[in-house]
Amino acid sequence: MKPFMVLALCCSFFCSKATPLPSEFSDCDDPDVFKAVDAALKKYNGERATGNQFALYVVMEAERTAGPDAQFYVKYRIFETSCAVEENTPWQHCSYKPSAEAKTGECIARVHMNDAEKTSNVSQDCKISSDVSKVRVIQAPCLGCYHPLSTDSSQVSEILERAIQNFNKRSTEAALFKLVEIKEARRQVVAGWNYKIIYEIEETNCSKDQFPDLTPECRVTSRG
Ligand SMILES: *[C@@H]1O[C@H](CO)[C@@H](O)[C@H](O)[C@H]1NC(C)=O
Ligand SMILES: *[C@@H]1O[C@H](CO)[C@@H](O)[C@H](O)[C@H]1NC(C)=O
């Protein structure tokens, strides 16, 4: 048996070295809040004809109504990126412009998510300013902390699938490796969300030569 312990540090949204702005955050662990913010920000970027896209910097406040067709109230800060609006790049893939040249903005949005039709109705107001230094810093209890996540959440499995694919692509081992166990999964609320997942993989009986990727046929081998 040849187990490997791997730590996946992953940013599914946007990762930045910038210090996050601390602030109030009511629903830290609600992935739906992020979907609502994503919908609102996409709409904001989509409505701009020229200039650069904005990426999420931090979610400052979030409230939601109960039930499947949730209505969200979100207040979030955005930061100018170096992606031109015309490029149509998802904002998650854009990097922040240097502070000295960047514009920042604060948006208040009401987002109605219709889960059945996968649509959202956004009404929002964004105030853009070019003075990044005026960004107010307020007290934040949960920004920057890691929060435990359920290891069977779909976000965790999506991230791991990509991570293991990458591992197999880059490894110099002859065999493909497969997930055996997720030891721990945590999420950090910063500019975007960071995930920290500790998991274990083991060698399978599929060789890299014969299999481009893992298939259900690939089983963990238990060589001593
Ligand atoms: C979207 O929101 C606007 C403003 O609140 C409302 O008038 C409109 O009916 C909504 N549309 C849908 C499809 O919910
Ligand atoms: C791997 O082992 C499983 C179970 O023993 C077997 O069904 C499968 O065919 C094997 N795969 C390969 C590529 O040898």
Side-chain angles (χ1 to χ4, degrees), residues 106-216:
E106 204 172 283
C107 300
I108 292 180
R110 289 188 188 279
V111 184
H112 183 189
M113 302 294 276
N114 185 329
D115 284 344
E117 290 169 22
K118 302 219 180 306
T119 57
S120 56
N121 192 0
V122 178
S123 64
Q124 73 183 327
D125 181 37
C126 292
K127 295 208 172 17
I128 304 296
S129 96
S130 49
D131 191 353
V132 174
S133 66
K134 278 214 186 104
V135 168
R136 233 173 69 237
V137 174
I138 7 178
Q139 205 41 45
C142 53
L143 270 168
C145 322
Y146 273 101
H147 297 268
L149 266 183
S150 159
T151 50
D152 52 19
S153 86
S154 64
Q155 292 155 292
V156 171
S157 43
E158 277 170 31
I159 291 167
L160 282 187
E161 198 175 312
R162 285 202 304 263
I164 294 170
Q165 256 173 7
N166 267 332
F167 173 89
N168 280 327
K169 213 176 281 170
R170 291 190 197 148
S171 84
T172 52
E173 301 288 327
L176 291 174
F177 279 65
K178 187 177 178 173
L179 178 68
V180 183
E181 190 192 350
I182 303 172
K183 302 278 186 189
E184 187 186 322
R186 288 163 167 270
R187 182 172 60 199
Q188 185 184 32
V189 185
V190 286
W193 284 353
N194 289 341
Y195 292 86
K196 180 173 167 184
I197 305 167
I198 300 174
Y199 59 100
E200 196 177 295
I201 53 178
E202 276 181 33
E203 194 172 359
T204 68
N205 60 352
C206 291
S207 72
K208 283 179 73 171
D209 293 344
Q210 285 168 322
F211 293 82
D213 208 346
L214 284 171
T215 68

